[in-house]
Amino acid sequence: METPFVTSIIQKVAEQIGAVVLLDPECTFVGLITFKNGNKTFFRTSRFSINSSGSVAIAKDKGVSSFFLKKFGYKVTEGKTFFSKELCEEIANCRNIDAGFYYAKELGFPVIVKPLNLSQGVFVTKVHNKQEYYQVAKKILQKVSGFIVERFYNGNDYRIVVLDDEVVSAYQRIPLFIIGDGQSNVLELMQQKQKTFIKNGRKEIIDFEDYRINKNLRRRKLNFNSVIPNNNIVYLLDNANLSTGGEAIDFTENIHLDFQKLAVSITKDMELRLAGVDILTSNITSPMGDYTIIEVNGAPSLTHYASFGEVQTKRVENLYLKVLKALENENHREKH
């Protein structure tokens, strides 16, 4: 079985500090690291025990983390949480799917609708009307018991990865897109993109069945058979997660000090040591003006980021080396 990319990086950096990695042979993204001093720590893909389980749970619940971030004085997205019919009955709350629609109308379309506690951009959708709203909300409620309706904000989407007091990487995330060549149709362009991803070690991450791709093509009066004119860019998804085919432009070297301080301060306030802070703003290389925090991720995966080049891979290796050194030297405490 091929060793996953993240696991191979962990094995490489563990060796540098004389630690031993024991992998589950059936599940090679799960392992136990034993350090030279006898300390041990588990990992699962990019999840380490560096953050407490309570802080990670808060960060994962987008509604709750948004509440706390706002209380701490940060600018967060304006939005409300709505629940399935069953949960509404259970908690005697009338914030159901219909209440969500009226709230969306109040905010003004388009709005963002996203699940309460799923990661990697799953089901995050920009909806433009009533029909799209109900289609998306029902899909989400088949999987989880709550969703968030959020105001749509313009701006570039950046992720800033922080470990303790240091910004380890900062990059702009661009949603999945294709560029026309005047000959290939949408499906062929998507297949070409998928092949490029696989060649770069990113696995098959384009979901050709994703309803959001069809929705965006229909909105542009296109379908899988449409030939895209040369150099025309078509965005297939609205969310910029790398795990759904987004791409990264690196800003680690020139992120402005204002945004470095902001990301470090958010990470500390959320009681995290390692975090991915997702921010919408016009430019993270300029002094901080208007910004909106989309969310804070307590277990940021850097697999896709690392696949963008040698510099990025080296940054991820350095981050994991620092994480392992921190875990080697810490006392046993609550783990997740």
Side-chain angles (χ1 to χ4, degrees):
M1 187 185 286
E2 190 189 347
T3 306
F5 187 42
V6 171
T7 306
S8 61
I9 291 179
I10 293 168
Q11 286 174 315
K12 182 178 176 182
V13 297
E15 201 175 296
Q16 288 173 32
I17 56 172
V20 177
V21 179
L22 175 65
L23 290 181
D24 178 335
E26 295 289 309
C27 204
T28 51
F29 53 84
V30 174
L32 173 69
I33 301 167
T34 305
F35 298 105
K36 277 197 299 191
N37 64 5
N39 273 359
K40 293 179 181 182
T41 187
F42 284 106
F43 69 89
R44 183 184 177 88
T45 57
S46 56
R47 290 177 180 273
F48 296 95
S49 50
I50 193 155
N51 291 326
S52 76
S53 54
S55 299
V56 171
I58 294 291
K60 191 170 183 190
D61 189 316
K62 297 177 181 71
V64 173
S65 61
S66 188
F67 163 79
F68 283 112
L69 286 164
K70 192 175 180 182
K71 282 288 178 195
F72 297 148
Y74 299 109
K75 297 176 187 172
V76 297
T77 50
E78 184 184 346
K80 281 186 183 172
T81 309
F82 299 90
F83 307 102
S84 65
K85 188 181 166 192
E86 295 74 21
L87 191 54
C88 282
E89 285 169 7
E90 198 179 305
I91 61 176
N93 188 312
C94 56
R95 294 240 293 266
N96 60 14
I97 191 168
D98 298 322
F101 169 65
Y102 290 113
Y103 179 66
K105 268 209 317 192
E106 198 181 294
L107 287 178
F109 286 106
V111 296
I112 298 292
V113 177
K114 62 186 186 184
L116 196 51
N117 52 8
L118 294 179
S119 53
Q120 299 190 320
V122 176
F123 291 133
V124 176
T125 313
K126 183 179 177 185
V127 304
H128 297 79
N129 53 45
K130 183 177 184 177
Q131 185 187 352
E132 286 182 3
Y133 166 81
Y134 276 100
Q135 180 197 14
V136 173
K138 282 174 183 170
K139 273 185 189 295
I140 291 172
L141 291 177
Q142 283 169 1
K143 292 279 181 193
V144 291
S145 56
F147 63 92
I148 297 171
V149 177
E150 232 169 44
R151 185 182 291 285
F152 172 74
Y153 294 83
N154 285 308
N156 294 319
D157 181 320
Y158 297 95
R159 166 160 287 185
I160 305 168
V161 179
V162 174
L163 176 62
D164 291 328
D165 294 321
E166 185 189 354
V167 167
V168 181
S169 69
Y171 50 94
Q172 183 182 347
R173 304 185 300 177
I174 295 166
L176 175 64
F177 66 90
I178 48 175
I179 301 175
D181 59 10
Q183 295 171 332
S184 310
N185 66 26
V186 168
L187 183 60
E188 289 162 344
L189 292 168
M190 286 169 68
Q191 287 165 339
Q192 288 165 27
K193 187 132 206 173
Q194 185 85 293
K195 277 180 191 160
T196 307
F197 284 158
I198 293 165
K199 199 172 102 186
N200 294 342
R202 285 186 74 189
K203 307 287 184 214
E204 297 181 19
I205 54 177
I206 300 176
D207 177 5
F208 289 80
E209 305 292 312
D210 193 323
Y211 70 94
R212 297 172 297 181
I213 292 175
N214 280 312
K215 179 182 80 68
N216 280 340
L217 289 172
R218 276 201 310 273
R219 178 157 283 284
R220 292 171 175 81
K221 298 186 167 46
L222 298 170
N223 59 45
F224 280 141
N225 297 317
S226 308
V227 173
I228 306 302
N230 197 32
N231 289 331
N232 271 28
I233 295 177
V234 176
Y235 289 96
L236 300 173
L237 290 174
D238 303 308
N239 65 301
N241 297 66
L242 301 191
S243 47
T244 52
E247 300 196 21
I249 302 172
D250 209 302
F251 283 97
T252 310
E253 296 302 323
N254 41 15
I255 173 175
H256 195 277
L257 189 60
D258 287 357
F259 284 105
Q260 290 185 45
K261 286 178 176 169
L262 176 73
V264 168
S265 139
I266 286 168
T267 303
K268 276 191 164 42
D269 282 341
M270 292 301 286
E271 295 288 325
L272 295 165
R273 293 183 63 191
L274 172 65
V277 180
D278 297 342
I279 290 176
L280 281 176
T281 189
S282 54
N283 185 356
I284 60 164
T285 65
S286 304
M288 194 165 70
D290 210 20
Y291 74 86
T292 309
I293 299 167
I294 311 169
E295 63 182 84
V296 179
N297 190 316
S301 169
L302 291 161
T303 313
H304 299 294
Y305 171 74
S307 74
F308 284 103
E310 281 178 35
V311 173
Q312 287 75 16
T313 304
K314 194 74 198 148
R315 284 205 182 108
V316 175
E317 285 176 10
N318 287 338
L319 167 67
Y320 287 166
L321 184 60
K322 284 172 183 165
V323 167
L324 292 197
K325 282 179 174 173
L327 288 167
E328 180 178 24
N329 297 321
E330 75 169 6
N331 296 323
H332 293 291
R333 58 182 174 79
E334 186 199 6
K335 308 284 189 185
H336 88 277

